[in-house]
């Protein structure tokens, strides 16, 4: 079976991986030069935190997340199984209490245990929550790794290909087309909206963190994900706005002051990058598979691209190849037919 | 029973905010469950130069509620006035919930800037809903500036502490019996909202307590019930508290009602 995938972000690449596994002939067409700064996946934190996300996400995300984690663990060498640490300043301890109540699979850690987990945060926080089964990786290592893996599997890439709505409306020469364009698919998926996110990449040799740390705050929740060579990803704002450029001074100030509150040494860090993009989301902020004739859409990953894409891609491939035997699963709300 | 907010008659005494929900779908359900007729919308963060927030605003318009745009996060008179103008263009309403924030952490209103901005906006044809403290003098100045509604805080925004100064809120009600008064901010529990209504307040405006609840839709229902309950309590004229600890010595053999004359 010949499959044409449009979009080379994490969703397109995940779908390609599962189709290739089923011996389909896969071609990935993208307007960008492969996975780069033109797609959301480039800007992601790379936290695999299905338990922490349950603070505000639907249970479906937790299920998809745990399944996707198993995929990533087998797939990438950069997978780091070090858990997540969640802390709050003494004033925001009610938020930590609430966070614990809303989530599972954590251990309460006191000052000395925080010091053992993250020596550089010793004496800064009296209490926290530790999610031992969570993991993280660097999306900018994972994306090229995934591309190489797919190339070895015989997947063809057609980068830098521009396509208009007319081209997309015309019948495909392949047996089936998978549309994974993210927010660009707004021309076909009317309910899709963008949620602006701003992130920073900073560099500091004064601090070491082994795992993602979340600092709770009623208005400016923050996470910091350590990467190689003293780099830290600081994220991320969530603004109901579709603009894909222009980080505001306010957002950058808020992110930086939250980082500074986590550890004052971040005050001396070098700002390497300020990134902005808009996450594609449906009104319920859950991903959807939508079948329409010979095209299937997978979209609406919101802030859960790496967490949900492999699990959703697996479901999509089963549905497209007619392999799906059960329909009444917990993932059912995520699948709709022709409803666009 | 309706209240008159400028030119509009409103039945529901629950005004609900549209920020911080897990998703727009849940927000819409919560608005529906609250039976609110008015929703507040923060413009500043969502705006951007290309009006890139249109998609989110269309959800709010879909709710069918009247939109009360707010100037959340504005820290100067100029910012607040500019944001109000933007809101009037986008939502085609003269209403504006005026916030001028004086302190970043507690989000306490800057009442000096608030009075100034209220005067400028009223002169420009806006109908201003000022987010203020329970201070009587500030309230008087806001009314002089043209405000026909006052929205004192219960407690700092998002704190969930309830009514911090019941005495102050009661004084405000007593001083301005004919001005619609809406408790805005600081409410955490339905009982807080009921307490505000029992004081004779005309309505309650809240956001975080519903949006950040584990089940926002259920919490919206709980608040709707509490607000209605408090309102009916005030209308029904509750009994006065009685000090049962006042000294009185029952005398055996005498009926209780005759004790004073024994």
């Amino acid at each position: 079976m010949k499959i044409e995938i449009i979009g080379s972000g994490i969703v397109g690449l995940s779908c390609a991986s599962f189709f290739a596994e089923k011996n389909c002939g896969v071609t990935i067409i993208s307007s960008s030069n492969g996975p780069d700064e033109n797609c959301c996946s480039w800007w992601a934190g790379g936290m695999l935190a299905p338990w922490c996300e349950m603070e505000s996400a639907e249970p479906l995300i937790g299920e998809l997340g745990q399944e996707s984690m198993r995929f990533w663990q087998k797939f990438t060498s950069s997978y780091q199984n070090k858990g997540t640490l969640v802390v709050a300043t003494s004033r925001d301890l009610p938020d930590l209490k609430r966070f614990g109540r809303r989530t599972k699979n954590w251990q309460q850690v006191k000052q000395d245990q925080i010091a053992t987990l993250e020596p550089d945060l010793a004496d800064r926080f009296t209490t926290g929550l530790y999610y031992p089964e969570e993991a993280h990786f660097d999306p900018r290592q994972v994306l090229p790794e995934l591309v190489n893996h797919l190339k070895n599997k015989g997947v063809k890439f057609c980068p830098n290909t521009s396509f208009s709505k007319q081209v997309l409306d015309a019948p495909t020469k392949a047996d089936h087309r998978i549309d994974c364009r993210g927010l660009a698919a707004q021309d076909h998926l009317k309910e899709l909206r963008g949620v602006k996110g701003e992130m920073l990449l900073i560099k500091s040799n004064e601090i070491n963190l082994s795992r993602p740390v979340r600092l709770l705050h009623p208005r400016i929740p923050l996470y910091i994900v350590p990467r190689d060579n003293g780099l830290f990803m600081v994220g991320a704002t969530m603004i109901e706005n579709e603009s894909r450029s222009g980080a505001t001074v306010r957002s950058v100030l808020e992110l930086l002051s939250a980082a500074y509150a986590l550890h004052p040494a971040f005050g001396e860090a070098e700002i390497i990058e300020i990134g902005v993009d808009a996450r594609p989301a449906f009104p319920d902020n859950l991903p959807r598979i939508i079948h329409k004739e010979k095209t299937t859409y997978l979209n609406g990953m919101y802030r859960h691209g790496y967490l949900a894409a492999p699990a959703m891609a697996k479901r999509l491939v089963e549905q497209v190849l007619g392999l799906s035997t059960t329909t009444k699963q917990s993932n059912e709300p995520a699948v709709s037919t022709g409803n666009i | 029973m309706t209240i008159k907010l400028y030119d509009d008659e409103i039945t529901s005494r629950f005004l609900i905010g549209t920020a911080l929900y897990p998703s727009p779908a849940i927000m819409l359900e919560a608005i529906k469950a609250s039976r609110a007729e008015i929703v507040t919308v923060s413009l500043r963060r969502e705006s951007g130069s290309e009006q890139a927030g249109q998609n989110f605003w269309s959800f709010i318009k879909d709710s069918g509620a009247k939109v009360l745009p707010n100037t959340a996060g504005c820290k100067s008179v100029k910012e607040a006035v500019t944001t109000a103008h933007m809101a009037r263009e986008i939502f085609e309403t003269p209403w504006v919930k005026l916030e001028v924030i004086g302190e970043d952490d507690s989000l306490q209103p800057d009442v000096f800037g608030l009075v100034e901005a209220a005067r400028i906006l009223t002169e420009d044809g806006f109908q201003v809903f000022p987010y203020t403290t329970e201070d009587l003098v500030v309230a008087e100045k806001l009314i002089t500036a043209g405000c026909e509604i006052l929205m004192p805080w219960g407690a700092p925004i998002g704190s969930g502490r309830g009514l911090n100064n019941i005495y102050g809120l009661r004084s405000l009600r007593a001083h301005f019996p004919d001005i619609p008064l809406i408790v805005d901010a600081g409410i955490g529990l339905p009982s807080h909202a009921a307490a505000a209504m029992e004081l004779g307040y005309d309505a309650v405006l809240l956001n975080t307590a519903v949006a950040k609840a584990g089940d926002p839709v259920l919490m919206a229902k709980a608040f709707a019930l509490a607000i209605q309950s408090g309102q009916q309590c005030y209308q029904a004229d509750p009994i006065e508290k009685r000090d049962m600890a006042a000294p009185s010595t029952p005398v055996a053999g005498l009926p209780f009602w005759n004790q004073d004359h024994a």
Side-chain angles (χ1 to χ4, degrees):
Chain A
M1 194 175 190
K2 279 188 185 161
I3 301 290
E4 175 186 280
I5 294 175
I6 305 176
S8 63
I10 195 60
V11 175
L13 298 179
S14 297
C15 288
S17 171
F18 284 98
F19 275 116
E21 208 175 86
K22 300 287 180 195
N23 300 315
C24 297
V26 182
T27 306
I28 297 182
I29 304 172
S30 60
S31 58
S32 64
N33 187 25
D36 59 13
E37 65 275 8
N38 293 302
C39 69
C40 279
S41 314
W42 186 257
W43 304 105
M47 290 186 298
L48 300 169
W51 291 281
C52 280
E53 286 301 308
M54 284 303 94
E55 186 255 336
S56 58
E58 303 273 347
L60 174 69
I61 295 300
E63 290 169 36
L64 295 172
Q66 289 176 51
E67 191 181 320
S68 295
M69 278 177 87
R70 292 192 282 276
F71 171 86
W72 290 122
Q73 190 162 22
K74 272 191 226 158
F75 178 79
T76 172
S77 52
S78 64
Y79 186 94
Q80 302 212 48
N81 199 357
K82 300 236 171 99
T84 303
L85 179 64
V86 181
V87 291
T89 60
S90 58
R91 205 200 60 171
D92 295 328
L93 287 179
D95 289 314
L96 192 70
K97 212 167 147 186
R98 179 183 174 277
F99 200 92
R101 221 168 49 227
R102 302 277 308 143
T103 57
K104 288 188 181 124
N105 216 9
W106 48 261
Q107 300 161 4
Q108 180 142 27
V109 283
K110 295 289 176 195
Q111 201 160 351
D112 52 337
Q113 292 158 302
I114 292 175
T116 312
L117 286 168
E118 298 292 353
D120 283 352
L121 297 183
D123 304 328
R124 295 204 54 77
F125 300 95
T126 54
T127 180
L129 300 172
Y130 175 50
Y131 295 75
E133 289 183 48
E134 296 191 338
H136 71 282
F137 54 47
D138 181 352
R140 295 182 194 180
Q141 283 180 22
V142 171
L143 287 168
E145 214 177 336
L146 197 46
V147 169
N148 284 336
H149 164 79
L150 293 172
K151 281 181 177 164
N152 291 337
K153 288 265 183 185
V155 172
K156 275 199 291 183
F157 282 78
C158 303
N160 305 312
T161 310
S162 61
F163 26 76
S164 61
K165 191 170 185 298
Q166 286 76 14
V167 173
L168 291 166
D169 285 338
T172 167
K173 285 178 194 153
D175 296 307
H176 206 89
R177 176 186 278 157
I178 312 296
D179 188 320
C180 307
R181 286 178 297 144
L183 196 55
Q186 268 180 318
D187 53 5
H188 284 73
L189 305 175
K190 298 288 173 239
E191 283 193 281
L192 207 58
R193 77 185 197 285
V195 181
K196 184 180 180 182
E198 292 142 303
M199 60 76 84
L200 307 169
L201 210 54
I202 59 177
K203 188 175 166 68
S204 168
N205 293 321
E206 290 179 46
I207 307 172
N208 277 305
L209 295 177
S210 307
R211 56 184 59 72
V213 177
R214 294 184 182 221
L215 177 65
L216 302 184
H217 184 277
R219 292 188 303 280
I220 320 160
L222 165 100
Y223 57 78
I224 294 192
V225 189
R227 295 200 175 153
D228 292 347
N229 306 317
L231 287 175
F232 296 88
M233 187 274 188
V234 182
T237 57
M238 304 269 287
I239 300 170
E240 287 289 348
N241 177 319
E242 299 196 341
S243 159
R244 299 185 68 182
S245 63
T248 62
V249 170
R250 176 192 297 250
S251 293
V252 174
L253 272 174
E254 285 176 353
L255 289 172
L256 287 176
S257 40
Y260 186 74
L262 188 74
H263 200 298
F266 278 121
E268 303 305 316
E270 186 185 340
I271 299 175
I272 304 293
E273 200 177 285
I274 299 175
V276 188
D277 211 330
R279 312 164 179 93
F282 288 111
D284 56 5
N285 291 345
L286 290 173
R288 285 185 198 172
I289 296 168
I290 297 161
H291 301 288
K292 199 189 173 197
E293 293 160 6
K294 277 174 73 182
T295 300
T296 297
Y297 299 84
L298 175 48
N299 215 315
M301 306 314 282
Y302 185 48
R303 54 181 275 167
H304 302 123
Y306 290 86
L307 202 54
M312 287 300 289
K314 185 165 178 283
R315 284 158 176 73
L316 177 143
V317 170
E318 284 170 0
Q319 287 170 22
V320 169
L321 300 182
L323 301 172
S324 181
T325 48
T326 52
T327 51
K328 286 279 172 196
Q329 284 181 349
S330 53
N331 66 323
E332 201 198 14
V335 181
S336 66
T337 307
N339 176 25
I340 51 177
Chain B
M1 228 177 90
T2 59
I3 38 162
K4 196 156 186 262
L5 303 180
Y6 291 97
D7 303 326
D8 290 75
E9 297 275 346
I10 299 296
T11 306
S12 170
R13 305 310 181 94
F14 189 178
L15 287 73
I16 193 164
T18 54
L20 303 171
Y21 290 86
S23 70
I26 292 176
M27 174 191 79
L28 282 179
E29 266 187 79
I31 293 172
K32 204 171 148 196
S34 74
R35 283 178 281 145
E37 292 165 45
I38 298 172
V39 296
T40 60
V41 182
S42 155
L43 211 61
R44 212 181 136 63
R45 284 304 297 254
E46 272 71 18
S47 52
S49 54
E50 301 148 37
Q51 301 207 344
Q54 285 293 1
N55 215 320
F56 181 69
W57 298 331
S58 70
F59 285 113
I60 291 164
K61 286 179 179 164
D62 286 350
S63 76
K66 266 186 81 78
V67 172
L68 173 57
N70 69 42
T71 61
C74 290
K75 292 169 77 177
S76 69
V77 173
K78 197 177 167 203
E79 265 183 295
V81 169
T82 309
T83 307
H85 277 273
M86 230 158 70
R88 183 158 71 178
E89 256 174 55
I90 292 167
F91 292 106
E92 297 166 338
T93 172
W95 282 10
V96 63
K97 178 189 155 184
L98 184 61
E99 280 187 30
V100 183
I101 297 302
E103 209 272 322
D104 241 352
D105 197 39
S106 66
L107 302 180
Q108 175 154 348
D110 166 6
V111 292
F112 303 96
L114 182 69
V115 172
E116 171 72 6
R119 188 186 54 75
I120 295 170
L121 290 171
T122 307
E123 282 172 7
D124 206 358
F126 282 89
Q127 298 179 336
V128 177
F129 294 56
Y131 166 61
T132 181
T133 65
E134 68 277 14
D135 190 289
L136 293 176
V137 183
V138 174
E140 193 63 65
K141 286 189 191 295
L142 284 168
I143 290 167
T144 310
C147 296
E148 295 177 20
I149 291 170
L150 295 172
M151 301 213 296
W153 62 354
I157 293 175
S159 69
R161 298 186 63 84
L163 309 181
N164 259 354
N165 181 2
I166 289 189
Y167 172 78
L169 290 171
R170 191 180 283 138
S171 307
L172 194 70
R173 178 73 284 177
H175 274 76
F176 302 101
D178 301 322
I179 297 275
L181 296 181
I182 301 172
V183 167
D184 173 12
I187 299 290
L189 296 172
S191 55
H192 300 152
M197 297 303 289
E198 286 166 14
L199 289 178
Y201 274 70
D202 294 285
V204 172
L205 194 166
L206 58 94
N207 188 164
T208 311
V210 166
K212 297 291 266 182
D215 184 341
V217 180
L218 190 58
M219 192 58 90
K221 276 184 202 163
F223 269 105
L225 289 170
I227 289 167
Q228 196 185 11
S229 165
Q231 184 198 0
Q232 290 180 359
C233 160
Y234 183 71
Q235 287 167 357
D237 191 11
I239 62 165
E240 290 297 327
K241 262 192 261 182
R242 197 164 293 278
D243 190 356
M244 300 304 276
S248 72
T249 317
V251 179
L254 284 179
F256 294 117
W257 44 264
N258 216 15
Q259 278 172 20
D260 288 349
H261 312 290

